[in-house]
Structures are given as structure tokens and as C-alpha cells.
Amino acid sequence: MSEPFDSIGFIFLLLTGLGLAFSRTMIGFLFSFFMGLVGVASFFLYLQMPYLAAIQLVFYVGGVFLLFIFALFSTVEDKEIPTWKNHLLNLAQQVRANVWTIIFLLGLVLFVSPYLTLGSDAGNSRVYSEDIQRMGDEFLKNSVLSFEFSSLILLSALVSALFILKKMQKSFGEKT
Amino acid sequence: MIWFPAFCFFVLGLGCLLMRKQMFGLLVGIEMLFNAAHLQLAFGQLSTNNPNGELMVLFGLLVTAVEAAVALCLMIYFFSGLKSLQWDRAEELHES
């Protein structure tokens, strides 16, 4: 196996670091986080764990990141009256967002193309299917009890959080 | 040097936790720390050659998904009470 510096994930890692350090808007900050998640998925691909990479993309990029975006749009603070200065600032933000989008699309192309090459390799595909079968066996035979127990704990955590939130909202509504 | 990406993600997450004042920054920092742990578990599997690393990563993904859902739920409540996401104002929510 080659060094991890050869992986495309390091480009995502570098962009994530720069974005987290220098982004001034929250949407840019979250977009940097998004690139970090894709970078982790590409590192999983580098380690020849495509199942984990797919789960990472579906769970994080498809689920958790959308939750972040939803929460961001639900917590937008009141804005000031628009002025020419604000218009220029908005224009600068739009330009910056477009640059980030172009970088993301270029990264996506670079990220997807080596994966297609890996998928066309018959030997690697056979190894991947064996790995997935082995993980399925582990899930359903050796670790089934622990994962059922953990799923119950996670479900109870979700339900209790919703219950607490509803109770707090009720008390907050009575005060106001 | 195979541990280096996990170390980078750990440093980024720690920086987010220490530098950011908004709750989004804290949550993103925690998620980055979780991702560093996942990468380290996946790298550790290479040396031991058993599937426990991948299973732990899958379990960690479930935990972080639930953690993000609960934290974002509480964050929206925090914002509805204070109209702000600065975590150092959490005491005001307790007083009100």
C-alpha cells in the first residue's frame, strides 16, 4: 500500500483545515466540515474499505450534514436593513461561495474517478465482497446482542431528548 | 505515517473546540474528533487483520448520528430561548 499522502483525501483535508480556520460565515464553516467528511470517506476508500466509505457518505453527507444545514437555517438571526455596503459584502460572499463550489466539484471529480477505476478491477471487487460478507456474518452472529443492546440505548436517548425538549418548550411557553 | 490523517483531523477538531464560540463550532469540533477516532480504528484494523475495527467504526457512526440529532435539537431550543448561539450565554437560559 502506498503512503496516505498519495490519497485524494489529503486535498480534502487541506481544504478542510483552511476552511475551518479562515471561513467567516457559518455556511462556509459547515461546507468545510462537509469536505472533511468526504475526505474521511476517501481515506476509507484508500484503506480498501468501500462499505465504510459508502456508509460515511450516506450517514454523514446525506444525513448529519443536512441536519446541520436545517439547524443553521432554523437559527438565522435577524438581519440589518440592507445598504450598499451590505450588498457588496453579500456579493463578496457569493463569489467566495462560488469558488468553494468549483473547488468542491473539482474535488468530487478527482474523488470519483479513482473509485471507478477501483470498481472496474475484478480482483479488488471480489475482495470487497468477501469483506462485506465477513462483516455481515460478524453483525448477525457474533456481535448481534451487543448491537441490539446499543440500538436500544440510542433509541431511548433520542426519545428522551425529544421528551425533554417538549417539556422545556412547554415551560418556556407558560412563562411567556 | 499512516496515522497522520487521523492526527490532522484530531488537531482540527480540537482547534474548533477551543477557538469557536458558537455552538455549531463546538458540535463540528466534536464530530471531527469522532472522525479522527474512526480513522484511527480503521487504520488499526490493518495491523490486526480482523473486522472489529470496521464494526467499531459502524457503531461510532451510529453514535455520532444520534449525538448530532440530539445536539441540534437542543441547539434549536437554546436559540428559541436566547436568540443567540453563543455557548457562554447558557447561564442566562438557566436563570430564565
Side-chain angles (χ1 to χ4, degrees):
Chain A
M1 186 176 286
S2 59
E3 285 290 318
F5 299 104
D6 301 336
S7 168
I8 194 70
F10 259 96
I11 297 175
F12 284 107
L13 181 59
L14 187 65
L15 291 176
T16 304
L18 289 174
L20 291 182
F22 296 111
S23 60
R24 292 182 182 177
T25 60
M26 195 47 67
I27 190 74
F29 184 72
L30 288 183
F31 200 72
S32 311
F33 173 57
F34 170 79
M35 281 193 292
L37 299 178
V38 178
V40 172
S42 63
F43 277 121
F44 283 144
L45 271 184
Y46 162 76
L47 293 173
Q48 298 186 346
M49 299 174 180
Y51 182 64
L52 276 187
I55 293 286
Q56 170 87 8
L57 286 178
V58 170
F59 259 52
Y60 265 115
V61 181
V64 174
F65 182 70
L66 281 184
L67 273 179
F68 272 81
I69 295 292
F70 173 74
L72 179 66
F73 287 152
S74 302
T75 55
V76 174
E77 296 177 11
D78 294 335
K79 289 191 173 177
E80 298 173 357
I81 301 168
T83 59
W84 279 109
K85 190 180 175 184
N86 286 339
H87 278 304
L88 287 176
L89 283 174
N90 287 335
L91 187 66
Q93 285 177 358
Q94 284 173 3
V95 169
R96 192 163 52 184
N98 289 335
V99 170
W100 278 112
T101 308
I102 291 169
I103 290 173
F104 166 70
L105 290 176
L106 285 175
L108 198 63
V109 169
L110 289 172
F111 169 69
V112 168
S113 51
Y115 182 64
L116 292 176
T117 310
L118 278 175
S120 64
D121 192 346
N124 281 336
S125 299
R126 186 176 54 79
V127 173
Y128 293 159
S129 63
E130 283 176 2
D131 281 348
I132 294 169
Q133 187 178 1
R134 190 181 58 178
M135 285 181 64
D137 286 341
E138 284 288 328
F139 259 126
L140 296 174
K141 288 176 183 171
N142 298 333
S143 309
V144 63
L145 193 62
S146 58
F147 273 87
E148 283 294 327
F149 186 66
S150 61
S151 68
L152 283 178
I153 291 176
L154 297 177
L155 182 66
S156 61
L158 268 179
V159 172
S160 54
L162 287 176
F163 181 73
I164 290 170
L165 183 62
K166 196 168 181 180
K167 195 175 173 184
M168 289 166 86
Q169 275 184 335
K170 204 176 199 179
S171 64
F172 186 73
E174 284 172 357
K175 283 179 186 175
T176 58
Chain B
M1 291 298 284
I2 205 164
W3 48 267
F4 190 69
F7 175 73
C8 290
F9 276 103
F10 181 82
V11 170
L12 285 176
L14 204 61
C16 282
L17 275 179
L18 294 178
M19 299 293 180
R20 292 281 172 168
K21 297 288 183 187
Q22 271 207 337
M23 284 194 165
F24 273 112
L26 291 183
L27 196 53
V28 167
I30 291 170
E31 296 286 338
M32 297 291 277
L33 291 179
F34 267 113
N35 275 297
H38 295 166
L39 270 181
Q40 195 58 40
L41 281 170
F43 291 149
Q45 183 180 331
L46 289 179
S47 57
T48 57
N49 199 20
N50 64 25
N52 290 336
E54 285 186 67
L55 290 177
M56 285 304 295
V57 172
L58 279 176
F59 178 68
L61 283 171
L62 288 174
V63 171
T64 48
V66 173
E67 172 255 338
V70 173
L72 290 173
C73 181
L74 293 176
M75 195 186 297
I76 289 175
Y77 170 73
F78 186 91
F79 183 80
S80 69
L82 291 179
K83 300 296 176 195
S84 171
L85 283 176
Q86 304 287 327
W87 57 265
D88 50 358
R89 292 185 61 193
E91 288 287 332
E92 299 174 26
L93 190 68
H94 181 67
E95 289 164 4
S96 66

